[in-house]
Amino acid sequence: LFKGYFNANADVGLFTQDIAGGAISSVVDTTMTALGGSGNVTGFGGFAADNGHIAFLGNYSGGSAIYLYEGDTLRRLIGTGDLVDGHTITGLSFSQEGIGGDYLVFGASFSGGSGIYSTMLTSAVPEPSTYALLAGAVVLGLTMWRRRRVICRAGSTHPAL
């Protein structure tokens, strides 16, 4: 998949492209309603892609928010009006270097100060390695249970510990 920023005919947005089939799909564009904001997305202040994630700063009437797109799901991570460290966010910044591996870094400003924050990106869908780990634990547990039963049948009155 190609992930990128596209501007054509005054429609601005983020799109993915299936290289094999050539189909372009919209992640978000200026015709879409802003998640957790008011009105449509009006523009973008930063964009980064890494490790299957697309993160961007989306502006809307009255504020902005940082959004994350992974798989086929778009979600709002944080936006103006939210609280961070007990302060109400009045502005956000995000750049191309703002995402790496499973971390997202962004700047937030609020009355009386500003800061740089990071958050770990978590996926709602477990990775295949997680399923393999769980399957291994189940097999190990069943093997131990079976061995204890075999020892019991062999004449012992108590299962082996």
Side-chain angles (χ1 to χ4, degrees), residues 79-136:
T80 52
D82 292 349
L83 291 176
V84 64
D85 289 339
H87 302 285
T88 302
I89 296 173
T90 58
L92 291 165
S93 61
F94 183 75
S95 72
Q96 275 184 315
E97 294 80 26
I99 191 169
D102 290 328
Y103 288 91
L104 180 108
V105 178
F106 63 93
S109 57
F110 34 83
S111 175
S114 63
I116 297 174
Y117 298 89
S118 69
T119 185
M120 185 169 188
L121 303 174
T122 57
S123 177
V125 178
E127 295 291 327
S129 60
T130 303
Y131 289 120
L133 180 65
L134 291 174

Side-chain angles (χ1 to χ4, degrees), residues 3 13 16 19 35 74-75 126 153 155:
K3 299 172 176 112
T16 60
I19 300 283
L35 296 175
L74 178 65
R75 61 185 169 128
R153 288 185 186 152

Side-chain angles (χ1 to χ4, degrees), residues 19 28 61:
I19 300 283
V28 63
S61 176

